[in-house]
Amino acid sequence: MPYPENLDHHFVVDPAKFDFYAMDCYRLLGEDRFAENLAHEVIRAGTDFDGSERSPMRMAEARITLGVVAARQGDLDQAVNYGEWALKGDRQSLPSLLMVSRELAAIINRDYATETAGQEYLDHLTALTRASAVTA
């Protein structure tokens, strides 16, 4: 997808958001190479010069995307590492993060449910889902 040409158009988002939304689209479509490249770009753009995160929710979702790509490529350890990293942020919109995490959870449940690392990740998501339901 090309970058928006006219940023004054009210239906066009800024390039950083464009990459973020395109990353989601490519992940959902199973276009892993594009999703992975955009996830790295979202993380790069969201990291300040001192290493601090300017866009923690975007970066968390980018890490989930990297986890989905890793899981699809057969790398459970990397998938779980990215998934857990995404869940550790201080600033979270838990309902949104859990919604995106369900995509990684579905792949882990389908392909790695008998693996210890996969089961631990699924258990962690289940606990977070229960906790968010109690506080909602």
Side-chain angles (χ1 to χ4, degrees), residues 31 53 55 72 87 92:
E31 294 288 344
E53 296 185 1
S55 306
R72 287 178 182 157
L87 297 173
Q92 295 180 349

Side-chain angles (χ1 to χ4, degrees), residues 8-80:
D8 292 330
H9 191 282
H10 70 281
F11 290 111
V12 176
V13 295
D14 68 73
K17 281 186 181 178
F18 185 83
D19 286 345
F20 174 72
Y21 294 130
M23 172 195 73
D24 278 347
C25 292
Y26 284 125
R27 184 189 67 244
L28 290 168
L29 291 171
E31 294 288 344
D32 291 341
R33 186 171 54 91
F34 294 122
E36 180 179 21
N37 287 337
L38 287 169
H40 286 299
E41 179 58 24
V42 167
I43 290 170
R44 187 205 61 75
T47 304
D48 215 341
F49 69 93
D50 63 357
S52 61
E53 296 185 1
R54 288 190 307 259
S55 306
M57 282 305 300
R58 285 187 201 174
M59 292 177 74
E61 192 165 327
R63 289 184 180 109
I64 293 291
T65 296
L66 292 172
V68 167
V69 170
R72 287 178 182 157
Q73 294 174 347
D75 190 346
L76 174 62
D77 290 336
Q78 188 76 331
V80 169

